[in-house]
PDB file of all heavy atoms in Angstrom:
ATOM      1  N   SER A 423     -60.793 -61.972  27.598  1.00  0.00           N
ATOM      2  CA  SER A 423     -61.390 -63.028  28.378  1.00  0.00           C
ATOM      3  C   SER A 423     -62.899 -63.017  28.174  1.00  0.00           C
ATOM      4  O   SER A 423     -63.529 -64.082  28.002  1.00  0.00           O
ATOM      5  CB  SER A 423     -61.046 -62.884  29.831  1.00  0.00           C
ATOM      6  OG  SER A 423     -59.639 -63.009  30.038  1.00  0.00           O
ATOM      7  N   ALA A 424     -63.534 -61.849  28.191  1.00  0.00           N
ATOM      8  CA  ALA A 424     -64.952 -61.758  27.957  1.00  0.00           C
ATOM      9  C   ALA A 424     -65.352 -62.230  26.551  1.00  0.00           C
ATOM     10  O   ALA A 424     -66.356 -62.984  26.402  1.00  0.00           O
ATOM     11  CB  ALA A 424     -65.412 -60.321  28.150  1.00  0.00           C
ATOM     12  N   ARG A 425     -64.544 -61.936  25.583  1.00  0.00           N
ATOM     13  CA  ARG A 425     -64.845 -62.378  24.143  1.00  0.00           C
ATOM     14  C   ARG A 425     -64.717 -63.884  24.064  1.00  0.00           C
ATOM     15  O   ARG A 425     -65.604 -64.556  23.471  1.00  0.00           O
ATOM     16  CB  ARG A 425     -63.916 -61.698  23.200  1.00  0.00           C
ATOM     17  CG  ARG A 425     -64.199 -60.231  22.912  1.00  0.00           C
ATOM     18  CD  ARG A 425     -63.478 -59.828  21.635  1.00  0.00           C
ATOM     19  NE  ARG A 425     -62.049 -59.980  21.736  1.00  0.00           N
ATOM     20  CZ  ARG A 425     -61.206 -59.019  22.182  1.00  0.00           C
ATOM     21  NH1 ARG A 425     -61.688 -57.839  22.500  1.00  0.00           N
ATOM     22  NH2 ARG A 425     -59.894 -59.220  22.204  1.00  0.00           N
ATOM     23  N   ASP A 426     -63.717 -64.464  24.664  1.00  0.00           N
ATOM     24  CA  ASP A 426     -63.552 -65.903  24.649  1.00  0.00           C
ATOM     25  C   ASP A 426     -64.700 -66.658  25.320  1.00  0.00           C
ATOM     26  O   ASP A 426     -65.177 -67.682  24.871  1.00  0.00           O
ATOM     27  CB  ASP A 426     -62.180 -66.335  25.342  1.00  0.00           C
ATOM     28  CG  ASP A 426     -60.983 -65.861  24.531  1.00  0.00           C
ATOM     29  OD1 ASP A 426     -61.127 -65.564  23.281  1.00  0.00           O
ATOM     30  OD2 ASP A 426     -59.871 -65.825  25.078  1.00  0.00           O
ATOM     31  N   ALA A 427     -65.154 -66.051  26.453  1.00  0.00           N
ATOM     32  CA  ALA A 427     -66.293 -66.654  27.197  1.00  0.00           C
ATOM     33  C   ALA A 427     -67.527 -66.552  26.367  1.00  0.00           C
ATOM     34  O   ALA A 427     -68.302 -67.546  26.244  1.00  0.00           O
ATOM     35  CB  ALA A 427     -66.440 -65.908  28.505  1.00  0.00           C
ATOM     36  N   LEU A 428     -67.837 -65.418  25.751  1.00  0.00           N
ATOM     37  CA  LEU A 428     -69.054 -65.294  24.912  1.00  0.00           C
ATOM     38  C   LEU A 428     -69.059 -66.176  23.731  1.00  0.00           C
ATOM     39  O   LEU A 428     -70.046 -66.703  23.284  1.00  0.00           O
ATOM     40  CB  LEU A 428     -69.229 -63.839  24.498  1.00  0.00           C
ATOM     41  CG  LEU A 428     -69.636 -62.874  25.645  1.00  0.00           C
ATOM     42  CD1 LEU A 428     -69.528 -61.433  25.185  1.00  0.00           C
ATOM     43  CD2 LEU A 428     -71.047 -63.198  26.086  1.00  0.00           C
ATOM     44  N   ALA A 429     -67.858 -66.462  23.176  1.00  0.00           N
ATOM     45  CA  ALA A 429     -67.787 -67.373  22.039  1.00  0.00           C
ATOM     46  C   ALA A 429     -68.124 -68.788  22.420  1.00  0.00           C
ATOM     47  O   ALA A 429     -68.923 -69.521  21.683  1.00  0.00           O
ATOM     48  CB  ALA A 429     -66.359 -67.411  21.447  1.00  0.00           C
ATOM     49  N   LEU A 430     -67.684 -69.224  23.554  1.00  0.00           N
ATOM     50  CA  LEU A 430     -68.023 -70.548  24.050  1.00  0.00           C
ATOM     51  C   LEU A 430     -69.556 -70.626  24.365  1.00  0.00           C
ATOM     52  O   LEU A 430     -70.243 -71.619  24.087  1.00  0.00           O
ATOM     53  CB  LEU A 430     -67.248 -70.918  25.211  1.00  0.00           C
ATOM     54  CG  LEU A 430     -65.909 -71.565  25.019  1.00  0.00           C
ATOM     55  CD1 LEU A 430     -65.119 -71.693  26.322  1.00  0.00           C
ATOM     56  CD2 LEU A 430     -66.037 -72.933  24.343  1.00  0.00           C
ATOM     57  N   LEU A 431     -70.052 -69.580  25.001  1.00  0.00           N
ATOM     58  CA  LEU A 431     -71.474 -69.527  25.386  1.00  0.00           C
ATOM     59  C   LEU A 431     -72.331 -69.565  24.154  1.00  0.00           C
ATOM     60  O   LEU A 431     -73.418 -70.102  24.163  1.00  0.00           O
ATOM     61  CB  LEU A 431     -71.736 -68.318  26.290  1.00  0.00           C
ATOM     62  CG  LEU A 431     -71.183 -68.390  27.665  1.00  0.00           C
ATOM     63  CD1 LEU A 431     -71.153 -67.024  28.340  1.00  0.00           C
ATOM     64  CD2 LEU A 431     -72.078 -69.311  28.475  1.00  0.00           C
ATOM     65  N   ALA A 432     -71.951 -68.927  23.113  1.00  0.00           N
ATOM     66  CA  ALA A 432     -72.706 -68.897  21.845  1.00  0.00           C
ATOM     67  C   ALA A 432     -72.790 -70.327  21.308  1.00  0.00           C
ATOM     68  O   ALA A 432     -73.907 -70.676  20.789  1.00  0.00           O
ATOM     69  CB  ALA A 432     -72.035 -67.969  20.836  1.00  0.00           C
ATOM     70  N   GLU A 433     -71.664 -71.020  21.342  1.00  0.00           N
ATOM     71  CA  GLU A 433     -71.761 -72.484  20.858  1.00  0.00           C
ATOM     72  C   GLU A 433     -72.767 -73.294  21.713  1.00  0.00           C
ATOM     73  O   GLU A 433     -73.388 -74.218  21.197  1.00  0.00           O
ATOM     74  CB  GLU A 433     -70.374 -73.086  21.056  1.00  0.00           C
ATOM     75  CG  GLU A 433     -69.330 -72.540  20.121  1.00  0.00           C
ATOM     76  CD  GLU A 433     -67.960 -73.299  20.317  1.00  0.00           C
ATOM     77  OE1 GLU A 433     -67.934 -74.309  20.949  1.00  0.00           O
ATOM     78  OE2 GLU A 433     -66.905 -72.654  19.860  1.00  0.00           O
ATOM     79  N   ALA A 434     -72.950 -72.898  22.991  1.00  0.00           N
ATOM     80  CA  ALA A 434     -73.878 -73.640  23.836  1.00  0.00           C
ATOM     81  C   ALA A 434     -75.297 -73.102  23.815  1.00  0.00           C
ATOM     82  O   ALA A 434     -76.100 -73.574  24.540  1.00  0.00           O
ATOM     83  CB  ALA A 434     -73.342 -73.575  25.270  1.00  0.00           C
ATOM     84  N   GLY A 435     -75.544 -72.048  22.911  1.00  0.00           N
ATOM     85  CA  GLY A 435     -76.947 -71.633  22.765  1.00  0.00           C
ATOM     86  C   GLY A 435     -77.251 -70.270  23.511  1.00  0.00           C
ATOM     87  O   GLY A 435     -78.417 -69.976  23.581  1.00  0.00           O
ATOM     88  N   TRP A 436     -76.279 -69.621  23.986  1.00  0.00           N
ATOM     89  CA  TRP A 436     -76.532 -68.403  24.752  1.00  0.00           C
ATOM     90  C   TRP A 436     -76.030 -67.144  23.931  1.00  0.00           C
ATOM     91  O   TRP A 436     -74.991 -67.265  23.301  1.00  0.00           O
ATOM     92  CB  TRP A 436     -75.838 -68.431  26.171  1.00  0.00           C
ATOM     93  CG  TRP A 436     -76.356 -69.479  27.015  1.00  0.00           C
ATOM     94  CD1 TRP A 436     -75.907 -70.812  27.065  1.00  0.00           C
ATOM     95  CD2 TRP A 436     -77.390 -69.445  27.968  1.00  0.00           C
ATOM     96  NE1 TRP A 436     -76.608 -71.506  27.995  1.00  0.00           N
ATOM     97  CE2 TRP A 436     -77.503 -70.711  28.601  1.00  0.00           C
ATOM     98  CE3 TRP A 436     -78.247 -68.349  28.411  1.00  0.00           C
ATOM     99  CZ2 TRP A 436     -78.445 -70.921  29.591  1.00  0.00           C
ATOM    100  CZ3 TRP A 436     -79.102 -68.616  29.434  1.00  0.00           C
ATOM    101  CH2 TRP A 436     -79.259 -69.953  30.003  1.00  0.00           C
ATOM    102  N   ALA A 437     -76.718 -66.013  24.125  1.00  0.00           N
ATOM    103  CA  ALA A 437     -76.378 -64.819  23.345  1.00  0.00           C
ATOM    104  C   ALA A 437     -76.731 -63.585  24.177  1.00  0.00           C
ATOM    105  O   ALA A 437     -77.691 -63.633  24.980  1.00  0.00           O
ATOM    106  CB  ALA A 437     -77.001 -64.785  22.033  1.00  0.00           C
ATOM    107  N   LEU A 438     -75.975 -62.538  24.026  1.00  0.00           N
ATOM    108  CA  LEU A 438     -76.257 -61.284  24.696  1.00  0.00           C
ATOM    109  C   LEU A 438     -77.490 -60.647  24.077  1.00  0.00           C
ATOM    110  O   LEU A 438     -77.591 -60.507  22.846  1.00  0.00           O
ATOM    111  CB  LEU A 438     -75.084 -60.321  24.632  1.00  0.00           C
ATOM    112  CG  LEU A 438     -74.009 -60.422  25.747  1.00  0.00           C
ATOM    113  CD1 LEU A 438     -72.841 -59.492  25.434  1.00  0.00           C
ATOM    114  CD2 LEU A 438     -74.680 -60.087  27.111  1.00  0.00           C
ATOM    115  N   ASP A 439     -78.346 -60.201  24.881  1.00  0.00           N
ATOM    116  CA  ASP A 439     -79.535 -59.411  24.513  1.00  0.00           C
ATOM    117  C   ASP A 439     -79.433 -58.077  25.322  1.00  0.00           C
ATOM    118  O   ASP A 439     -79.873 -57.989  26.414  1.00  0.00           O
ATOM    119  CB  ASP A 439     -80.873 -60.173  24.873  1.00  0.00           C
ATOM    120  CG  ASP A 439     -82.075 -59.374  24.490  1.00  0.00           C
ATOM    121  OD1 ASP A 439     -81.933 -58.362  23.794  1.00  0.00           O
ATOM    122  OD2 ASP A 439     -83.175 -59.778  24.976  1.00  0.00           O
ATOM    123  N   GLY A 440     -78.835 -57.095  24.679  1.00  0.00           N
ATOM    124  CA  GLY A 440     -78.515 -55.863  25.421  1.00  0.00           C
ATOM    125  C   GLY A 440     -77.457 -56.197  26.437  1.00  0.00           C
ATOM    126  O   GLY A 440     -76.346 -56.594  26.046  1.00  0.00           O
ATOM    127  N   ARG A 441     -77.788 -56.056  27.720  1.00  0.00           N
ATOM    128  CA  ARG A 441     -76.868 -56.380  28.790  1.00  0.00           C
ATOM    129  C   ARG A 441     -77.150 -57.674  29.503  1.00  0.00           C
ATOM    130  O   ARG A 441     -76.663 -57.965  30.577  1.00  0.00           O
ATOM    131  CB  ARG A 441     -76.736 -55.198  29.787  1.00  0.00           C
ATOM    132  CG  ARG A 441     -76.179 -53.905  29.189  1.00  0.00           C
ATOM    133  CD  ARG A 441     -76.010 -52.920  30.247  1.00  0.00           C
ATOM    134  NE  ARG A 441     -75.320 -51.762  29.718  1.00  0.00           N
ATOM    135  CZ  ARG A 441     -75.011 -50.621  30.448  1.00  0.00           C
ATOM    136  NH1 ARG A 441     -75.291 -50.678  31.780  1.00  0.00           N
ATOM    137  NH2 ARG A 441     -74.454 -49.590  29.929  1.00  0.00           N
ATOM    138  N   VAL A 442     -78.065 -58.446  28.964  1.00  0.00           N
ATOM    139  CA  VAL A 442     -78.522 -59.685  29.575  1.00  0.00           C
ATOM    140  C   VAL A 442     -78.166 -60.843  28.683  1.00  0.00           C
ATOM    141  O   VAL A 442     -78.537 -60.905  27.478  1.00  0.00           O
ATOM    142  CB  VAL A 442     -80.035 -59.666  29.855  1.00  0.00           C
ATOM    143  CG1 VAL A 442     -80.530 -61.005  30.459  1.00  0.00           C
ATOM    144  CG2 VAL A 442     -80.386 -58.499  30.778  1.00  0.00           C
ATOM    145  N   LEU A 443     -77.566 -61.877  29.276  1.00  0.00           N
ATOM    146  CA  LEU A 443     -77.315 -63.141  28.499  1.00  0.00           C
ATOM    147  C   LEU A 443     -78.587 -63.987  28.571  1.00  0.00           C
ATOM    148  O   LEU A 443     -79.098 -64.324  29.632  1.00  0.00           O
ATOM    149  CB  LEU A 443     -76.161 -63.887  29.129  1.00  0.00           C
ATOM    150  CG  LEU A 443     -75.620 -65.120  28.325  1.00  0.00           C
ATOM    151  CD1 LEU A 443     -74.916 -64.652  27.062  1.00  0.00           C
ATOM    152  CD2 LEU A 443     -74.663 -65.985  29.197  1.00  0.00           C
ATOM    153  N   ARG A 444     -79.067 -64.379  27.437  1.00  0.00           N
ATOM    154  CA  ARG A 444     -80.300 -65.153  27.307  1.00  0.00           C
ATOM    155  C   ARG A 444     -80.077 -66.405  26.472  1.00  0.00           C
ATOM    156  O   ARG A 444     -79.218 -66.478  25.540  1.00  0.00           O
ATOM    157  CB  ARG A 444     -81.472 -64.408  26.694  1.00  0.00           C
ATOM    158  CG  ARG A 444     -81.859 -63.157  27.575  1.00  0.00           C
ATOM    159  CD  ARG A 444     -83.096 -62.519  26.917  1.00  0.00           C
ATOM    160  NE  ARG A 444     -83.449 -61.312  27.603  1.00  0.00           N
ATOM    161  CZ  ARG A 444     -84.205 -61.294  28.744  1.00  0.00           C
ATOM    162  NH1 ARG A 444     -84.685 -62.445  29.171  1.00  0.00           N
ATOM    163  NH2 ARG A 444     -84.454 -60.123  29.369  1.00  0.00           N
ATOM    164  N   HIS A 445     -80.819 -67.509  26.774  1.00  0.00           N
ATOM    165  CA  HIS A 445     -80.831 -68.614  25.908  1.00  0.00           C
ATOM    166  C   HIS A 445     -81.569 -68.334  24.663  1.00  0.00           C
ATOM    167  O   HIS A 445     -82.719 -67.857  24.723  1.00  0.00           O
ATOM    168  CB  HIS A 445     -81.427 -69.848  26.685  1.00  0.00           C
ATOM    169  CG  HIS A 445     -81.051 -71.184  25.998  1.00  0.00           C
ATOM    170  ND1 HIS A 445     -81.710 -71.687  24.904  1.00  0.00           N
ATOM    171  CD2 HIS A 445     -80.100 -72.070  26.312  1.00  0.00           C
ATOM    172  CE1 HIS A 445     -81.191 -72.773  24.613  1.00  0.00           C
ATOM    173  NE2 HIS A 445     -80.226 -73.080  25.445  1.00  0.00           N
ATOM    174  N   ARG A 446     -80.985 -68.709  23.519  1.00  0.00           N
ATOM    175  CA  ARG A 446     -81.615 -68.296  22.203  1.00  0.00           C
ATOM    176  C   ARG A 446     -82.972 -68.941  21.977  1.00  0.00           C
ATOM    177  O   ARG A 446     -83.795 -68.403  21.351  1.00  0.00           O
ATOM    178  CB  ARG A 446     -80.664 -68.662  21.046  1.00  0.00           C
ATOM    179  CG  ARG A 446     -79.495 -67.569  20.909  1.00  0.00           C
ATOM    180  CD  ARG A 446     -78.814 -67.769  19.526  1.00  0.00           C
ATOM    181  NE  ARG A 446     -78.133 -69.039  19.446  1.00  0.00           N
ATOM    182  CZ  ARG A 446     -76.882 -69.223  19.696  1.00  0.00           C
ATOM    183  NH1 ARG A 446     -76.094 -68.166  20.055  1.00  0.00           N
ATOM    184  NH2 ARG A 446     -76.311 -70.421  19.581  1.00  0.00           N
ATOM    185  N   GLU A 447     -83.156 -70.176  22.475  1.00  0.00           N
ATOM    186  CA  GLU A 447     -84.365 -70.901  22.232  1.00  0.00           C
ATOM    187  C   GLU A 447     -85.445 -70.522  23.272  1.00  0.00           C
ATOM    188  O   GLU A 447     -86.626 -70.375  22.872  1.00  0.00           O
ATOM    189  CB  GLU A 447     -84.166 -72.420  22.266  1.00  0.00           C
ATOM    190  CG  GLU A 447     -83.311 -72.849  21.088  1.00  0.00           C
ATOM    191  CD  GLU A 447     -83.049 -74.370  21.114  1.00  0.00           C
ATOM    192  OE1 GLU A 447     -83.681 -75.007  22.006  1.00  0.00           O
ATOM    193  OE2 GLU A 447     -82.333 -74.899  20.298  1.00  0.00           O
ATOM    194  N   THR A 448     -85.117 -70.434  24.518  1.00  0.00           N
ATOM    195  CA  THR A 448     -86.131 -70.214  25.530  1.00  0.00           C
ATOM    196  C   THR A 448     -86.267 -68.767  25.957  1.00  0.00           C
ATOM    197  O   THR A 448     -87.293 -68.382  26.473  1.00  0.00           O
ATOM    198  CB  THR A 448     -85.790 -70.995  26.816  1.00  0.00           C
ATOM    199  OG1 THR A 448     -84.576 -70.495  27.437  1.00  0.00           O
ATOM    200  CG2 THR A 448     -85.593 -72.493  26.520  1.00  0.00           C
ATOM    201  N   GLY A 449     -85.240 -67.945  25.676  1.00  0.00           N
ATOM    202  CA  GLY A 449     -85.300 -66.497  26.082  1.00  0.00           C
ATOM    203  C   GLY A 449     -85.005 -66.352  27.583  1.00  0.00           C
ATOM    204  O   GLY A 449     -85.050 -65.160  28.064  1.00  0.00           O
TER     205      GLY A 449
END
Side-chain angles (χ1 to χ4, degrees):
S423 294
R425 285 197 301 268
D426 290 343
L428 287 170
L430 274 172
L431 288 164
E433 292 179 18
W436 297 87
L438 271 176
D439 178 11
R441 295 187 176 182
V442 177
L443 188 71
R444 296 184 185 276
H445 197 278
R446 282 196 294 263
E447 293 182 3
T448 66

